[in-house]
Amino acid sequence: MHLWVSYVLLSATSVGTVQMLGSYGEICQRLCACEEKEGILTVSCENRGIGSLSDISPVHFSLYHLLLTGNLLKKLSANDFVEYKGLRILHLGNNDISEVEAGAFNGLQELKRLHLNNNKIDALKEEFFFGLESLEYLQIDYNYVTHVAPNAFSRLRHLEVLILNDNLISSLPVNIFQHVPLTHLDLRGNQLKVLPYSGLLEHMNSVVELQLEENPWNCSCELIALKTWLESISYTALVGDVVCEFPFRLHGRDLDEVSKQELCPRRAIAEYEMPPLPHLSTDAYYRTTPALVTASLTSSGIARSSSRPTKGPRQSDCPTVCTCNLQISDLGLNVNCQERKIEHISDLNPKPYNPKKIYLTGNYIPVVRRSDFNEATGLDLLHLGNNRIARIHDRAFGDLTHLRRLYLNGNLIDHLRAEMFYGLESLQFLYLEYNVIKDVAPDTFQHIPKLQLLFLNNNLLKTLPVGTFNGLTLARLNLRNNHLRYLPESGVLDQLTALVQVDLFENPWDCSCSILELKMWLEQLSTGTVVNNVICGSPKRLAGEDMRYIKTANICPNNSDILASMIPPSEESIPGSTITIETSLDSDTQYSAIPLSVMILALLLMFIVSVFVAAGLFVAMKKRHQKSQNEQNNSMNALVFYRLGLMTHPIIKYILKLFH
Ligand SMILES: *[C@@H]1O[C@H](CO)[C@@H](O)[C@H](O)[C@H]1NC(C)=O
Ligand SMILES: *[C@@H]1O[C@H](CO)[C@@H](O)[C@H](O)[C@H]1NC(C)=O
C-alpha cells in the first residue's frame, strides 16, 4: 500500500506537469492522480467516492494500472471496462461490489492482475471472468464467497496466483484447477474440511505455495490424501499448517504430526491412500517469476493483516541447525527445529529474526528460561512438545504477548502456576497433555484471559481447585485420562459457561452422592458437548457405568442432603417429603433429560404448590377431626407423591376434592 501512497505523493509533487496530463484523458485532469514511469501510467482514483464506472472516463495510454480501491462501486456491469484496453492491473478492493455481470471485464484481454478483495461477492461464476485471457493474478480475499462454480476458472489459462482467503468456501468443485497453472493458492480462513486428491490435489502439481490454515479440517480417513500429498511434496509448498478441528481428540494437532493410524482405522488406510504420484516438479519453485512473488508479498500481506511484520528476514537469521521458510503471503518466518537433539534453546544461533512460528518438537530441552524467547514478540505459535521440560522459569514466556498457540504436551511438567504463563495475553490454545501434572494452582490461568482451549488430558490430576477457570471463557476442555474422582460445581464447573466440548473419559469418577453436582452439570450441557463417556470408577456396584445414565437414586440411595439442598428449606417441615422426592425421582426415567433451568423452575412450582397444599391440608385436617393420624399421613404422602411427579392436574383435582 505504501507503494501506492508514494505514487500519490509523487504525483502531488509533480503538479507542475499538469498540462501534460491532459493527453492521458480527462480522468487525469481532475479526478485522479496520474503518473507515468518507465512506460507505465498509474492512474490513482482511490477513495474518490466513485459509485459507478460511468463516473470515470477511459485512459488514453497503451499500458496502465488503474486504482479504484476504496470507492463505492456496488455493481460491475457488462462492458464496464470495454474501453480500457491497455489496462494491466486493476484494483477494485474495498468497494461494495456484490454483483458482477457476465462480461463485466470484457475488453481486458491484457489484464494481468485483478484485485477484488474486501467486497461482498458471494459466488464465483464462470461468466465473471470472461475475457480475462491473460490474467495471472486474482485476489478475492475478504468477500463472502460460499459458492464456486465448477468452471469458474476454466478460462483463466494463465492464472498463477489465486487468493481466496477469508471467505466462506466449504468445498471446491472437482476439476476446478484442471487447466489452471496455479503456483500460489491461498485458502486460509475458509470452511474447508477436506481436500480430496482426485479432481483437486492431482491438478496442483505446480503449486509452490499453498495456504490452508484456519479451516475446520476434519482429520478423518478422507484427510489421508491431503497428508500423503503434502508429504510427497515434502511440505515445501505448504507454508501454513493444516490444523485439525475435528474430531475432538485431534483438535489442534498439526496434520503432519498425526499418524495415518490416528486419522483412520488401520484397515481403511489403504482405501484412502492416493494413487502413485506422477513426477512432481521439485524445481517448480524456481519457475516462479520474482515479480510474481513480490506481487504476492505486497497485496495479500497487506490485505490479510496490518499487524504482520513488514520487513523480510535475512537468510542468516535462521538458526544453523534449523530450517526456515518464509510465508510469502504474510512475511512470517517459520522456524523448524524438530528433532535436532537440541538441549538448550539458547544454543539456537543465530536467533531467528522476527519468527512467526517455532517448532522445537522432539528435542531434549529440560527447561524453559526467561531469556529463551525474549526477541520473539511477534511469535504466533510455539511448539515445545515432546521434550523433557520439567521446569518453566517464572515469566519465561513474558514477551510472547502475541502468541496464540503454545504446545507443551509430552513433557515432564508436574505442576502449574500462574507465573509460568505470565504475559501470554493473546494465548488461545494451550496444550499440556501427556505430562505428569498433579498440582494446579487456583490462579494458574489468570494471565491467559483469552484461553479457549485447554488440554490437560493424560496427566495425574486428582482434582482442580476452586477458581481454576475464573475469568476464562473456555470453549474446549480435555481432562481425559487423569485421576479425577470428583470436581466441585461451585467455583469450578459453574465457571465453564461457554463450553463447546469437554472430555472427561478415563477418570475414576466416584459415583457417590457428591457426584450428583457433576451429573447435573453434565445434564444441562447441550447435546454433543460431552465427548466420550463419563464412567464411574467407584463404588463397585456402579463401576463401569456412565454416570449420566444412572438414576440419581441409584447413585445416592440413602443420603438426601444433596437433593434437600436444592429444595427450599420449608419443604423439610412436611413429614416424609424428602423420601417421596427420591421415590418420585427414581420413578422418573426422563429425569436425566431435564435441563437444570427447567428443573429449578419445576422445583419452585412444586414448592409453591406444596405450601398451598400444606395450607389446604391444614384446613382439611381441622375440618375432619375424626380422621386418624395414620390416615392423615397416608393422604399426605400420596399428595406429595403427586406433587413431585410433576403432575399438576391431579394435584389440583386432589386439592379440590379435599375442599369438598
Ligand atoms: C468428519 O469425517 C467423518 C468421517 O468421514 C464423519 O463421520 C464426520 O461426521 C465428519 N465430521 C464433521 C464435523 O464433518
Ligand atoms: C443405605 O442404608 C442401608 C440401610 O440403612 C445400608 O444397609 C446401606 O449400606 C446404605 N447404602 C449406602 C450406599 O449408604
Side-chain angles (χ1 to χ4, degrees), residues 345-447:
I345 299 168
S346 54
D347 289 348
L348 293 178
N349 231 317
K351 282 209 168 194
Y353 172 80
N354 205 353
K356 188 96 189 303
K357 295 179 181 166
I358 300 183
Y359 296 88
L360 282 158
T361 326
N363 285 293
Y364 304 148
I365 299 162
V367 54
V368 185
R369 299 195 155 78
R370 175 71 183 93
S371 53
D372 282 342
F373 298 106
N374 60 5
E375 277 165 40
T377 34
L379 204 61
D380 177 67
L381 179 150
L382 176 58
H383 209 313
L384 289 164
N386 300 329
N387 276 282
R388 296 169 183 174
I389 299 168
R391 273 200 71 198
I392 297 173
H393 283 191
D394 283 357
R395 309 198 170 197
F397 307 116
D399 294 315
L400 304 183
T401 49
H402 292 102
L403 196 71
R404 284 191 305 141
R405 282 190 273 161
L406 176 59
Y407 292 80
L408 287 163
N409 53 298
N411 281 290
L412 301 168
I413 300 166
D414 65 359
H415 68 280
L416 301 179
R417 278 176 302 111
E419 285 299 288
M420 291 177 176
F421 304 113
Y422 179 86
L424 294 171
E425 56 193 62
S426 305
L427 197 72
Q428 294 175 2
F429 304 91
L430 178 57
Y431 299 90
L432 288 161
E433 67 270 24
Y434 293 97
N435 275 282
V436 287
I437 302 168
K438 288 201 267 294
D439 178 32
V440 176
D443 59 354
T444 295
F445 306 111
Q446 68 170 352
H447 300 304

Side-chain angles (χ1 to χ4, degrees), residues 513 539 541 554-559:
C513 291
R541 68 192 165 85
N554 284 351
I555 289 177
C556 190
N558 291 8
N559 190 332

Side-chain angles (χ1 to χ4, degrees), residues 202-492:
E202 65 172 321
H203 299 138
M204 288 164 59
N205 288 350
S206 55
V207 169
V208 297
E209 185 189 329
L210 176 60
Q211 304 272 2
L212 298 173
E213 286 174 284
E214 294 166 54
N215 279 284
W217 297 110
N218 185 357
C219 290
S220 64
C221 295
E222 279 87 11
L223 227 56
I224 285 195
L226 179 60
K227 181 176 171 66
T228 315
W229 185 80
L230 291 170
E231 277 163 4
S232 75
I233 57 164
S234 330
Y235 283 86
T236 46
L238 178 80
V239 204
D241 317 299
V242 176
V243 179
C244 304
E245 174 78 19
F246 309 108
F248 185 54
R249 72 191 153 85
L250 298 177
H251 184 96
R253 297 271 302 274
D254 273 8
L255 184 62
D256 64 349
E257 50 174 51
V258 175
S259 70
K260 286 177 190 166
Q261 283 77 16
E262 283 175 286
L263 288 178
C264 193
R266 204 173 291 264
R267 66 195 144 71
I269 293 177
E271 218 177 293
Y272 289 92
E273 289 276 13
M274 64 177 191
L277 281 170
H279 56 287
L280 266 180
S281 50
T282 43
D283 56 15
Y285 189 83
Y286 305 104
R287 288 201 278 111
T288 317
T289 60
L292 209 50
V293 174
T294 323
S296 150
L297 281 177
T298 42
S299 67
S300 116
I302 286 160
R304 184 129 170 117
S305 163
S306 54
S307 65
R308 300 200 183 191
T310 50
K311 202 172 141 214
R314 299 169 293 267
Q315 194 50 48
S316 61
D317 286 328
C318 188
T320 40
V321 296
C322 310
T323 55
C324 296
N325 62 30
L326 179 62
Q327 194 157 317
I328 284 170
S329 46
D330 63 10
L331 287 163
L333 184 71
N334 291 352
V335 183
N336 182 352
C337 315
Q338 298 188 40
E339 291 163 28
R340 309 291 157 100
K341 303 192 169 74
I342 295 163
E343 286 178 37
H344 305 288
I345 299 168
S346 54
D347 289 348
L348 293 178
N349 231 317
K351 282 209 168 194
Y353 172 80
N354 205 353
K356 188 96 189 303
K357 295 179 181 166
I358 300 183
Y359 296 88
L360 282 158
T361 326
N363 285 293
Y364 304 148
I365 299 162
V367 54
V368 185
R369 299 195 155 78
R370 175 71 183 93
S371 53
D372 282 342
F373 298 106
N374 60 5
E375 277 165 40
T377 34
L379 204 61
D380 177 67
L381 179 150
L382 176 58
H383 209 313
L384 289 164
N386 300 329
N387 276 282
R388 296 169 183 174
I389 299 168
R391 273 200 71 198
I392 297 173
H393 283 191
D394 283 357
R395 309 198 170 197
F397 307 116
D399 294 315
L400 304 183
T401 49
H402 292 102
L403 196 71
R404 284 191 305 141
R405 282 190 273 161
L406 176 59
Y407 292 80
L408 287 163
N409 53 298
N411 281 290
L412 301 168
I413 300 166
D414 65 359
H415 68 280
L416 301 179
R417 278 176 302 111
E419 285 299 288
M420 291 177 176
F421 304 113
Y422 179 86
L424 294 171
E425 56 193 62
S426 305
L427 197 72
Q428 294 175 2
F429 304 91
L430 178 57
Y431 299 90
L432 288 161
E433 67 270 24
Y434 293 97
N435 275 282
V436 287
I437 302 168
K438 288 201 267 294
D439 178 32
V440 176
D443 59 354
T444 295
F445 306 111
Q446 68 170 352
H447 300 304
I448 326 180
K450 300 230 174 96
L451 196 63
Q452 280 179 20
L453 175 146
L454 178 60
F455 274 21
L456 280 166
N457 49 301
N458 301 82
N459 278 290
L460 306 173
L461 292 169
K462 288 204 166 108
T463 187
L464 288 172
V466 167
T468 308
F469 304 122
N470 281 9
L472 301 183
T473 45
L474 275 189
R476 293 165 207 274
L477 174 64
N478 198 338
L479 291 170
R480 181 175 177 160
N481 205 328
N482 275 283
H483 296 335
L484 295 168
R485 292 162 51 81
Y486 166 74
L487 277 180
E489 216 260 312
S490 165
V492 178

Side-chain angles (χ1 to χ4, degrees), residues 137-141 161-165 184 186 296 299-300:
Y137 186 110
L138 178 58
Q139 183 185 2
I140 318 184
D141 50 333
V161 179
L162 178 58
I163 299 174
L164 282 172
N165 58 276
H184 295 71
D186 193 339
S296 150
S299 67
S300 116

